[in-house]
Amino acid sequence: MTPSSFEYAVRECDPKPHERELLLNQMAQDGWEPTEVRPAPWWGWSSQDQVTFRRSRPSAD
């Protein structure tokens, strides 16, 4: 697959492991896979963690 065959989404969640796990499970049900997790102190302008997800786009055949 080429990079253009994916769509991306960014979600914020409470920095608690349980909250992050809930978000990961919820997104996985819709076919999203996490590609990056940024803890809140890393990017600094929010107290929330930031998680980037991607999933395959349907082919345009």
Side-chain angles (χ1 to χ4, degrees), residues 6-34:
F6 292 103
E7 59 183 329
Y8 291 84
V10 176
R11 298 290 183 267
E12 293 183 359
C13 67
D14 196 292
K16 298 175 184 166
H18 175 73
E19 295 294 324
R20 189 180 310 120
E21 188 68 25
L22 288 174
L23 175 64
L24 294 174
N25 289 337
Q26 179 184 22
M27 295 294 284
Q29 289 176 1
D30 291 330
W32 294 96
E33 64 178 277

Side-chain angles (χ1 to χ4, degrees), residues 3-5 8-11 20 23 27-28 31 35-36 42 45 47-48 50-51 53 55 59:
S4 62
S5 64
Y8 291 84
V10 176
R11 298 290 183 267
R20 189 180 310 120
L23 175 64
M27 295 294 284
T35 60
E36 183 177 19
W42 183 80
W45 55 272
S47 62
Q48 302 286 300
Q50 188 181 71
V51 184
F53 295 90
R55 69 178 173 185
S59 59

